[in-house]
Every structure is written in C-alpha cells, then in structure tokens.
Amino acid sequence: MNLSVKIGNVKFLNPVTVASGTFGHAEKYYNLEEVKKIGAIVPKTVTLNAQAGNPPVRIAETPAGMLNAIGIENPGIDKFIETKLPAFKKIGVPLIISILGHNDKEFKEIARRINKIKGISAVELNLSCPNLKHKTLVAQDPKATSRIVKLVKKELKIPVLAKLSPNVTDISLIAKAAEDAGADGVSLVNTFTAMVIDIEKRKSVLGNFTGGLSGPAIRPIAVYMVHKVYQTVKIPIVAMGGITCAQDALQFMIAGASMVAVGTYNFVNPRATLEVLTGIKDYMKVNKIKDIKKIIGSLK
Amino acid sequence: MSALQNIFKVVSNERLCPRFYKLSIDAGAVAKKVQPGQFVHIRVNDSFQPFFRRPFSVYRAKKYLDVFYEVVGPGTKALSNKKKGDDVDVLGPVGTPFTLPSKKAKQIVMIAGGIGVAPFLILSDRLKQQGFELVLLYGGRTKGHVYPMKEFKQNGCKVFVATDDGSVGVKGRVSNLFSKIVPDPSTTVIYTCGPSPMMAAVQAFAKRYHLSGQAACEEVMACALGACLGCSIKTTSGYKTVCYDGPVFNLHEIIFENTH
Ligand SMILES: Cc1cc2nc3c(=O)[nH]c(=O)nc-3n(C[C@H](O)[C@H](O)[C@H](O)COP(=O)(O)OP(=O)(O)OC[C@H]3O[C@@H](n4cnc5c(N)ncnc54)[C@H](O)[C@@H]3O)c2cc1C
Ligand SMILES: Cc1cc2nc3c(=O)[nH]c(=O)nc-3n(C[C@H](O)[C@H](O)[C@H](O)COP(=O)(O)O)c2cc1C
Ligand code: FES
C-alpha cells in the first residue's frame, strides 16, 4: 500500500497531519511511538518577535465547533528555534513550520532565519489569521498573496505552502495567485470570522470581540472550498476544517486534497489524528486501493 | 495519540445534595498518578453536543478516581446521567499540582467557595496526620449548596461554613471567616479555590498579612494539554494557561479582573 504524497520535492510517508495551533507538548503528554506514525507535524504559527496573544476570554464552545481568538501567542522565531524546535525534531516526523509576518520585511526575515536551520521539510505561510486586527488579511487580496509568496520563495529552498482564508468571495482566485507566484501547495481552510454574544452582558464573549470558527460545523463548507480550489490549481492541497475521522478526511481527499490535517478535534479526541490514518488504510484495504493517489481528486 | 486518554467504567454516581454529585470511576491507574490540585478532562458523551470535554478536579484518589461536581449546564447534566457500569472517557491527570507545605508550616488554611472545595479533600488526604493544623473555610450559597463536610472532618480538618442566607454556619461571605486564621507569615499557608471575587478577597487578605498561598483557577478549556492556548489568564508574568501552567498558581501571581 502506498500512502506517500509529495509537496514540491518533499515526500511525506502518509497524508495525515495536524493543523497549526492545535498540537503541542507532545513530549509530555503523547505516546511518541504513536505520534511517529503521522505524516507531518505543523506547530503553531511563529512570528518574528514574541507575541503575548489576545486578552481572555480566548475561546468559546459553539454547536459542533468552537471560536478562538488566541492572537498567535508565540515566543518569536529565535526562541522557537532555541526552545521548542528541539522537542519537535526529536519526534522524528517531518516538520512544516507555520510562519506569519506583519509586513513583507518580517516575512523575509523569518524565512532567512529558517533557512539557517536544518531538519525542516516545508514552510506554511499563515496568510489568513483572522484574530490580529489587520483590516484585510493577505489571503483576502490576490496581489498581496502573490507578493508574499514570491518574496518567501526567493529566500527558501524548501517547499512553501500558502494557508488561505475562507473569508473571501472566491477562494480559488487566491489559490491561483499563490500558484502563479510559485507556491508549492496551498493549505485550506483557516477559520471563519465569527462571534458569540453574551445576552446578559450584551457583550461579545471573546476578549478580541471576534474570533475564528472551526470544528465539524465548518466541514461541508471546507470540503466545497477544497473542491473548488482543486478545479483551479495543479499544486497539492493540504486540507483542514472539522475533520474528526477517516470518513471526514476521505471527503477532502476525494475532493482533491493531497494531505489532510486534524485541528480542533484533537482537543476532543487526542487520538483522532492517528485514527484518521488507520481509517484511511482500512478504506484502501476494503476498496482494494494500492496507491493513495488514486483517491486524491477522484470525485465522480 | 495521548497516552493519557482512556475509557473507564463508572463505579457509582451519587447525588449528595440537590445539585452536587460524586462520580467514582474505576481508574486505579489514573488515581495512582494524581497529585492534589491536578484535574481530569472528561468527555461527557460521544455526540458533538456539548462539543468540548469538561474539566474536573480530582476529589479523591484511592482505589477509584473520584470527582465531585455541581450540575450547572448541559455538560454536567450529561455527566449526572451516567450510571454504574457506563463508559466514561477520561483524559488525565493533567495540570500543575499544589506544592505541598514545608515542614515549617503549622496552620494550613484551605479556603473554598462552592464547588471549589473539590481539590481540597485529596489535599487533606495527603496532609493529614503530619502535625499540621488543617482548617477549611467554606462558603456556599445556601443549605442545599453545602455538602456534608464529614470526609473533611474525618481527615481532622476544622471546618467553618458561611452561607449567603445564614441557613448553615455564619451568614455572609467566606471572608467573614478570615478571623479563624492565625496569620503568621512563617507558619500559615493558604490554599484557595472558588469564584474569582472570592479568591481576589483571599489574595488581598494574604497580602495584608504577608502570607504565602496558592490558588487553583478555572477557565473554559478546549484541549487541557497546553496546546490551544485558549485557557490563559493574566498573571504578573504575562498570560499563563490554566490547564498547563496551572490550574495551581502562586496566589500573589494572579491578576484578578472584573471582580468588583
Ligand atoms: C481545572 C478545573 C477544575 C474544575 N473542577 C471542577 C470540579 O471539581 N467540580 C465541578 O463541578 N466543576 C469543576 N470545574 C468547572 C466545570 O468544568 C464546569 O462547571 C463545567 O465545565 C460546566 O459545564 P456545563 O456544560 O455543565 O455548563 P456550561 O453551560 O458549559 O457552563 C455553565 C456555566 O459555567 C461556566 N463554565 C463553563 N466551563 C467552565 C470552566 N471550565 N471553568 C469555569 N467556569 C466554567 C460557564 O461560563 C457558565 O457560566 C472545574 C474547572 C476547571 C477549569
Ligand atoms: C485554538 C486554535 C488555534 C489555531 N492557531 C492557528 C495558528 O496559529 N496558525 C494557523 O495557521 N491556524 C491556526 N488555527 C486554525 C487551524 O489550523 C485550522 O486551519 C482550522 O481550525 C480549521 O480546521 P479544524 O476545523 O480542523 O480545526 C487554529 C485553530 C484553533 C482552533
Ligand atoms: S485548554 Fe488548551 S491550552 Fe489550556
């Protein structure tokens, strides 16, 4: 059975990964023998300088999902490399590092620092965090998307993925802009801008006022968006949005995703990522599929 | 993939007073590992409603793992419907536990509001018969919210109760019981858990008398593994996660907000 997939020139042993911002402290809390089996790990987005994150309340439970407005709390790229990366590397699973710059210069500088370190398989550009008070997201503007992808591609030899926002009229236009600018793949979707109101206080529940909706609640929209992007671009798609099990993940793969990531559901079932992998293998066995590529984009 | 998540059987799920229940879980392996102040993250059912797991302090960890909880919404309601023999999905133990007092300490004062009493039984289990004077100051709304303090008394705790309406113990807030504390900075140690306004009052009291202390905090949680950074609170050294850096913090480190 061949489960391997490629992004740019990098091969991943299987298509199952975790979504940025939903996986951490594996060294303390996870069975690393099990974690070793997944295709890749994507740690939380890092920025050039440390960020404290948004004031609480940062999360809210919603029907079949959640809102978050964490605000990319992270130690900054240098501290990340020094204090967090070693534990991730030790797991021995390919790493896709998610980065975010607040302007062109920052993206370039982070890329340069990543270039100096070994053992990273790919970079994911977070062009789509809805929780940072920017008026428009990079991934809401095809020109800005193109510019950032180009400038990071110039710095990096390893594959670059552009992580897209679903908060757009036509996500395939942005995906196309990323492809034309040289991106090796696109990741979608990030969270949907949303809010929950406390009716007693008549205030928004979240400290950041709005947040990003994720979890099973968004899955059908995410599947549709992956389908739409697959119709438009040739580069591989890393898909996420409410995946809880292999059946969910397979919908995305049939729609055109080369890789699938479990995000929010890690919080509910911390074994979900591995169960997705096992379930995909079972599906291939039952349906006598020898190569995962036969599933990708196989929608009739 | 978490080595900490497992399915166990319910041993009993007993209603102790109108809204308080005690759930015993046949999870000896978890019970053995637990340190006072740590908690478990329970999936109350297999549906997406409610979506998150729910965090509960470990109340007692002997043969079984015990959780003491108050029904306040859909998650705790679903938990209260569990019967003997049912499966329960437990993640844990997680979180930073209480630091146990040094030999120098004499009076250990546990100050709890409502269900915040939960982490103190296991603490008193560990501290009993070690020569400390154990004191529990407990504030509840009314008689129906005051859980019988038998187990604490069996552990040798001196128990003082305050209720908002005076139906049991002293009328008023738990702060009306602070006079039971002998505030000596070198020998009095405070442990507190409960609503933020109460813990803020405890912090102010401890500050006034230069007492050291620890507080167990609560926040809505998604992962409980320190991964999502969703349960952060403000501290004197920046945002810290309640699930991973806490739930137990140095009492003086916490910045209580919206408590006035
Ligand atoms: C570390 C920790 C230990 C806890 N230990 C216990 C315990 O031993 N016994 C017990 O009964 N409860 C405990 N709680 C609180 C318990 O988790 C909540 O009461 C429960 O999640 C409520 O779920 P629900 O669906 O019944 O109510 P919901 O409808 O979710 O909530 C009802 C009310 O409680 C508030 N709330 C919800 N979740 C939390 C939370 N995690 N922390 C604080 N407030 C919350 C909501 O804002 C709302 O006002 C603990 C919480 C934490 C963080
Ligand atoms: C708590 C939380 C934190 C997140 N942090 C990040 C982040 O740092 N960078 C990023 O690109 N996406 C982040 N995301 C978005 C997820 O990676 C993912 O794109 C999205 O949640 C949809 O997938 P899901 O429904 O499976 O969670 C975060 C999501 C959640 C719920
Ligand atoms: S609940 Fe996720 S970090 Fe605490």
Coordinates of all heavy atoms in Angstrom, one line a residue, chain A residues 16 19 24 34 83 90 95-96 100 112 124 133 147 161 202 206 229 247 250 258 265 275-277 280 294:
Chain A
V16 N -1.4 12.3 6.5 CA -2.1 12.8 7.7 C -1.3 13.7 8.5 O -0.2 13.3 8.9 CB -2.7 11.6 8.5 CG1 -3.5 12.1 9.7 CG2 -3.6 10.8 7.6
A19 N -3.3 20.3 12.2 CA -3.4 21.7 11.8 C -2.7 22.6 12.8 O -2.6 22.4 14.0 CB -4.9 22.1 11.7
G24 N 0.6 20.4 20.6 CA 1.8 20.9 21.3 C 2.1 20.0 22.6 O 1.2 19.2 22.9
E34 N 3.3 6.5 18.9 CA 2.1 6.7 18.0 C 2.3 8.0 17.2 O 1.9 8.0 16.0 CB 0.9 6.8 18.9 CG 0.5 5.5 19.5 CD -0.8 5.5 20.3 OE1 -1.5 6.5 20.3 OE2 -1.1 4.5 20.9
T83 N 14.0 26.9 21.8 CA 13.4 26.2 23.0 C 12.3 25.2 22.5 O 12.1 24.2 23.3 CB 12.7 27.2 23.9 OG1 11.7 27.9 23.2 CG2 13.7 28.2 24.5
K90 N 12.9 15.9 17.8 CA 13.1 14.7 18.4 C 12.1 13.6 18.1 O 12.4 12.4 18.0 CB 13.2 14.9 19.9 CG 14.4 14.2 20.6 CD 14.4 14.6 22.0 CE 15.2 13.6 22.8 NZ 15.2 14.1 24.2
L95 N 8.6 18.1 9.7 CA 8.0 19.4 10.2 C 7.7 20.4 9.2 O 8.5 20.7 8.3 CB 9.0 20.0 11.2 CG 9.4 19.2 12.5 CD1 10.4 19.9 13.3 CD2 8.1 19.0 13.3
I96 N 6.5 20.9 9.3 CA 6.1 22.0 8.4 C 5.9 23.2 9.3 O 5.1 23.2 10.2 CB 4.8 21.7 7.7 CG1 4.9 20.4 6.8 CG2 4.3 22.9 6.8 CD1 3.7 20.0 6.1
L100 N 4.3 33.7 10.2 CA 3.5 34.9 9.9 C 4.3 36.2 10.1 O 4.9 36.3 11.2 CB 2.2 34.9 10.8 CG 1.2 36.0 10.6 CD1 -0.2 35.5 11.1 CD2 1.5 37.3 11.4
R112 N 14.5 33.9 6.3 CA 16.0 33.9 6.3 C 16.5 33.1 7.5 O 17.4 32.3 7.4 CB 16.6 35.3 6.4 CG 16.7 35.9 5.1 CD 17.4 37.3 5.2 NE 17.4 37.9 3.9 CZ 17.5 39.2 3.7 NH1 17.7 40.0 4.7 NH2 17.5 39.6 2.5
E124 N 4.8 26.8 6.0 CA 3.4 27.2 5.7 C 3.3 28.7 6.0 O 3.6 29.1 7.1 CB 2.4 26.3 6.5 CG 1.0 26.6 6.2 CD 0.0 25.7 7.0 OE1 -0.2 25.9 8.2 OE2 -0.4 24.7 6.4
K133 N -6.5 41.9 14.1 CA -6.9 43.3 13.9 C -6.3 43.9 12.7 O -6.2 45.2 12.6 CB -6.5 44.2 15.2 CG -7.1 43.7 16.5 CD -7.9 44.8 17.1 CE -9.0 44.3 18.0 NZ -8.6 43.7 19.2
R147 N 2.6 38.6 -3.8 CA 3.8 39.3 -3.4 C 4.5 38.5 -2.3 O 5.7 38.3 -2.3 CB 3.4 40.7 -2.9 CG 4.6 41.7 -2.9 CD 4.1 43.1 -2.5 NE 3.7 43.1 -1.1 CZ 2.5 43.4 -0.6 NH1 1.5 43.8 -1.4 NH2 2.2 43.4 0.7
L161 N 4.0 26.5 1.4 CA 2.6 26.4 1.3 C 2.0 27.7 1.7 O 2.4 28.3 2.6 CB 2.1 25.3 2.3 CG 2.4 23.8 2.0 CD1 2.4 23.1 3.4 CD2 1.5 23.2 1.1
R202 N -24.8 41.6 27.1 CA -24.9 42.3 25.8 C -23.5 42.6 25.3 O -23.3 43.7 24.8 CB -25.8 43.5 25.8 CG -27.2 43.1 26.2 CD -28.2 44.1 25.9 NE -29.5 43.8 26.6 CZ -30.6 44.5 26.4 NH1 -30.6 45.5 25.5 NH2 -31.7 44.1 27.0
L206 N -15.9 36.9 23.4 CA -14.4 36.9 23.3 C -13.7 38.2 23.6 O -14.3 39.3 23.3 CB -14.0 36.4 21.9 CG -14.4 35.0 21.5 CD1 -13.9 34.8 20.0 CD2 -13.8 34.0 22.4
V229 N -11.0 24.8 -5.3 CA -9.6 25.1 -5.5 C -8.9 24.0 -6.4 O -8.1 24.3 -7.3 CB -8.8 25.2 -4.1 CG1 -7.3 25.2 -4.3 CG2 -9.3 26.5 -3.5
Q247 N -13.5 9.1 7.6 CA -14.6 9.3 6.6 C -14.6 10.8 6.3 O -14.7 11.2 5.1 CB -15.9 8.9 7.2 CG -16.2 7.5 7.2 CD -15.4 6.7 8.2 OE1 -14.9 7.2 9.2 NE2 -15.2 5.4 8.0
L250 N -11.5 11.5 4.1 CA -11.6 11.0 2.8 C -12.4 11.9 1.9 O -12.2 12.0 0.7 CB -12.2 9.6 2.8 CG -11.1 8.5 3.3 CD1 -11.8 7.3 3.8 CD2 -10.2 8.2 2.1
S258 N -4.3 16.5 -1.2 CA -3.2 15.6 -1.1 C -2.9 15.2 0.3 O -2.4 14.1 0.6 CB -1.9 16.1 -1.7 OG -2.2 16.3 -3.1
Y265 N -10.5 19.0 16.5 CA -10.9 17.7 17.1 C -9.8 17.0 17.9 O -10.1 16.2 18.7 CB -11.5 16.8 16.0 CG -12.5 15.9 16.6 CD1 -13.7 16.4 17.0 CD2 -12.4 14.5 16.7 CE1 -14.7 15.6 17.6 CE2 -13.3 13.7 17.2 CZ -14.5 14.3 17.7 OH -15.4 13.5 18.3
E275 N -6.2 8.0 14.4 CA -7.4 7.2 13.9 C -7.8 7.5 12.5 O -8.2 6.6 11.7 CB -8.6 7.5 14.8 CG -8.5 6.8 16.2 CD -9.6 7.2 17.2 OE1 -10.6 7.9 16.8 OE2 -9.4 6.8 18.4
V276 N -7.5 8.8 12.1 CA -7.7 9.1 10.7 C -6.8 8.3 9.8 O -7.2 7.7 8.8 CB -7.5 10.6 10.4 CG1 -7.4 11.0 9.0 CG2 -8.6 11.4 11.1
L277 N -5.6 8.2 10.2 CA -4.6 7.4 9.4 C -5.0 6.0 9.3 O -5.0 5.4 8.2 CB -3.2 7.6 10.0 CG -2.1 6.8 9.3 CD1 -1.9 7.2 7.9 CD2 -0.7 7.0 10.1
I280 N -8.0 5.5 7.0 CA -7.7 5.7 5.6 C -7.1 4.4 5.1 O -7.5 3.9 4.0 CB -6.8 6.9 5.3 CG1 -7.5 8.2 5.6 CG2 -6.2 6.8 3.9 CD1 -6.6 9.4 5.5
K294 N -4.7 7.4 -6.0 CA -6.0 7.0 -6.7 C -7.2 7.6 -6.1 O -8.3 7.7 -6.6 CB -6.1 5.5 -6.8 CG -5.1 4.8 -7.7 CD -5.7 4.7 -9.1 CE -4.8 4.0 -10.1 NZ -3.4 4.2 -10.1

